[in-house]
Amino acid sequence: MTWKVYLSGEIHTDWRDEIAEKSKSLELPIEFFAPVTNHAASDDCGVAILGEEPNKFWHDNKGAKVNAIRTRNLIEKSDVVVVCFGEKYKQWNAAFDAGYAAALGKSIIVMHGPDHQHALKEVDAAALAVTSSPEQVVNILKYVIRGEL
C-alpha cells in the first residue's frame, strides 16, 4: 500500500523537503501532497485566472477559493495530514486545514514549537500526535507504516 500524506502549513522553511527526503531515504511507500507553496502564486491565483479585483477582500477571496479546490481534494485523498505551524507567521489556513481534516476523520499529526502550545491546544487535542520536528514526523510515519521504531 502506498500511503498518501498531505503536508499543510507554513511555507517559509524547508520542513516539507526534510520529511520527503527522510521518508525516501527510508524507502517508505508514501506519496506526498501539498498546497501551492509559491506565496505570490497562491495569493494571486484567483485574480490571475478570473480577473482583477479592486477590493483586496475580493482579491483574497478569489484566491482562497481557487486554492481550496486543490486543498480540499488532496486532504480528502490523504490517509494522514501533517500540519506544521511555524514560528514567524500565524498560519490560519493551517488551522483551518487541521479542522477540515478532523471533520473528515483523517489522522492528523501536528508539528510546532513550545511557544504555540497554548494557542494551538484545540488543534493539538484533535491530533493523534503532536511533534516538534520533521524527524519526529518521519519516525511516526515509519512506525505506522512498518511497525518499526
Side-chain angles (χ1 to χ4, degrees):
M1 169 182 162
T2 298
W3 288 65
K4 294 173 175 46
V5 177
Y6 186 79
L7 302 175
S8 170
E10 69 95 1
I11 62 172
H12 303 284
T13 63
D14 66 350
W15 68 274
R16 285 181 182 84
D17 294 334
E18 284 184 59
I19 290 173
E21 289 167 11
K22 288 178 183 175
S23 296
K24 185 177 180 181
S25 73
L26 292 170
E27 298 180 359
L28 296 177
I30 299 174
E31 180 180 1
F32 289 103
F33 303 129
V36 172
T37 58
N38 176 309
H39 201 183
S42 178
D43 283 352
D44 297 335
C45 64
V47 295
I49 297 167
L50 301 171
E52 291 297 320
E53 288 291 342
N55 183 303
K56 183 68 172 147
F57 174 84
W58 295 113
H59 174 112
D60 290 344
N61 187 272
K62 277 185 178 180
K65 288 179 177 180
V66 170
N67 282 311
I69 296 168
R70 176 187 180 98
T71 301
R72 288 180 187 178
N73 279 284
L74 293 177
I75 288 174
E76 288 170 14
K77 291 177 184 178
S78 296
D79 301 303
V80 176
V81 176
V82 177
V83 185
C84 175
F85 294 90
E87 298 300 320
K88 189 171 182 183
Y89 300 100
K90 303 223 183 320
Q91 291 92 42
W92 307 119
N93 57 323
F96 187 86
D97 289 353
Y100 187 66
L104 293 172
K106 299 296 179 177
S107 297
I108 302 168
I109 301 171
V110 172
M111 183 171 61
H112 63 73
D115 291 348
H116 290 355
Q117 284 176 348
H118 180 74
L120 294 173
K121 64 186 177 293
E122 286 82 6
V123 174
D124 289 352
L128 296 178
V130 178
T131 66
S132 60
S133 71
E135 182 178 4
Q136 289 178 327
V137 172
V138 173
N139 286 336
I140 289 170
L141 294 171
K142 176 180 154 189
Y143 178 76
V144 299
I145 292 170
R146 289 196 184 144
E148 298 173 2
L149 292 175

